[in-house]
Amino acid sequence: VVTLAYYPDRKQERMLGLMSEHVDAMHAMAYDQSGRHSTYAFAEKVAAQAVELLPPSKVTLGLPFYGRHLQTGDWKSYEDLMKPEDFPDGPSASLEADEAGGYYYNGPW
């Protein structure tokens, strides 16, 4: 099995499309944008762009399991972000949130 990961900028997909017959899966990294680094809107854009330019049966969508600080760009694991001290309003706040302590992450919603 041969897989690869790529940054979705349309240029990468065009180049990778030329070698798609030699790869089993192409992993679109739909994260690490500036600011809110991995929004749902960005994931939708990346997925649409990938299946437009690459064989759809070979495309996978990468999701981050970490958060990035909105000002510094530092990161924390999803596990660290879900610690109770980051949610003073109680654990249910984490179910609807996408920010904790200045970090943006992909919440369940």
Side-chain angles (χ1 to χ4, degrees):
V1 175
V2 178
T3 66
L4 59 82
Y6 70 92
Y7 184 77
D9 64 0
R10 296 189 77 82
K11 184 171 117 180
Q12 301 266 335
E13 292 94 332
R14 286 188 190 99
M15 291 187 315
L16 294 171
L18 300 173
M19 61 185 295
S20 64
E21 66 186 82
H22 305 290
V23 178
D24 297 303
M26 298 178 169
H27 185 73
M29 298 184 302
Y31 47 87
D32 270 351
Q33 300 296 292
S34 60
R36 301 181 123 224
H37 76 105
S38 58
T39 64
Y40 186 77
F42 184 63
E44 286 184 312
K45 176 184 170 189
V46 168
Q49 181 173 296
V51 299
E52 173 191 336
L53 300 169
L54 297 169
S57 64
K58 295 187 178 193
V59 174
T60 63
L61 183 65
L63 304 173
F65 289 94
Y66 63 92
R68 285 214 177 267
H69 196 277
L70 290 167
Q71 293 179 345
T72 67
D74 292 340
W75 68 274
K76 276 189 180 183
S77 70
Y78 188 76
E79 176 185 15
D80 287 341
L81 287 168
M82 294 296 104
K83 290 183 178 173
E85 61 267 20
D86 289 325
F87 295 98
D89 296 330
S92 63
S94 65
L95 296 178
E96 297 179 18
D98 60 7
E99 286 184 33
Y103 287 82
Y104 175 80
Y105 63 93
N106 297 96
W109 307 108

